Amino acid sequence: MRSFASAMRLAAVLVVALFVVSDLAAQSKELASTPFAPGAANKAHRLILQVNTNESAMMNLALNNATNVEQYYKSIGEKVEIEVVTFGPGLHMLRDDTSPVKDRIKAIAEKSASISFRACGNTQENMHKAENKEIALIPQATLVKSGVVRVMELQEQGWTYVRP
């Protein structure tokens, strides 16, 4: 009698487990068919890309990241904002006289309002002192007081930070 009762309890546990597994499988299948959690379509995606080196490969990587992210969210009908923030040697990316990518930035800016470029004012001032000349920025750049502070403030507002 005792083994019959144990067998019945085991059978009941197995039936419950089968329903739980079956329900989890259905939920997993449903989640797999939707790329984002509920409500994600209403969310504005916001990305900071930091450039702090004077390497054209790194600058191009940041621009590739920006355009790829923008194209991805555009293709699925979601909004995205992207800020490329430069400071230190990375300011060369936005300098009118030394940028190896200024033509590419101009083309991106003409095509996309969701990608913007920020230049560190502290770095610009330090370069001005070191080179004893005005440091002109490309027209697509917006000057901020501090590039690092800009990154911090955006992160505090929930922006995603990536350093290519």
Side-chain angles (χ1 to χ4, degrees):
M1 197 64 158
R2 189 172 196 155
S3 64
F4 178 73
S6 294
M8 291 303 290
R9 276 189 290 238
L10 180 60
V13 168
L14 289 174
V15 167
V16 169
L18 180 62
F19 282 118
V20 169
V21 168
S22 156
D23 187 49
L24 287 174
Q27 288 177 8
S28 295
K29 192 173 188 179
E30 182 180 330
L31 286 174
S33 67
T34 56
F36 301 100
N42 297 330
K43 179 182 177 187
H45 303 279
R46 300 173 304 173
L47 174 64
I48 312 159
L49 292 167
Q50 170 191 313
V51 177
N52 66 347
T53 64
N54 186 14
E55 300 171 21
S56 61
M58 191 61 65
M59 295 172 190
N60 276 301
L61 180 59
L63 294 175
N64 290 346
N65 291 163
T67 56
N68 289 342
V69 167
E70 192 241 1
Q71 287 171 3
Y72 173 79
Y73 284 112
K74 185 177 179 180
S75 75
I76 62 171
E78 293 185 14
K79 295 178 183 176
V80 66
E81 286 181 73
I82 301 163
E83 276 197 23
V84 178
V85 180
T86 66
F87 54 87
L91 186 69
H92 286 281
M93 180 179 190
L94 302 178
R95 281 182 57 162
D96 194 47
D97 61 339
T98 61
S99 175
V101 292
K102 68 181 178 181
D103 291 335
R104 187 167 179 211
I105 290 171
K106 180 181 179 190
I108 289 169
E110 288 172 354
K111 183 179 173 189
S112 173
S114 62
I115 301 172
S116 59
F117 301 90
R118 303 289 185 257
C120 177
N122 291 333
T123 301
Q124 184 189 39
E125 180 62 26
N126 289 334
M127 287 180 173
H128 164 72
K129 289 176 185 174
E131 298 176 32
N132 198 27
K133 68 176 188 176
E134 291 300 315
I135 306 299
L137 301 175
I138 62 174
Q140 298 77 22
T142 301
L143 193 64
V144 295
K145 175 67 178 147
S146 168
V148 173
V149 170
R150 180 66 178 168
V151 169
M152 287 175 55
E153 290 175 343
L154 292 175
Q155 283 187 291
E156 290 167 355
Q157 295 170 25
W159 287 58
T160 300
Y161 165 81
V162 173
R163 181 176 178 227

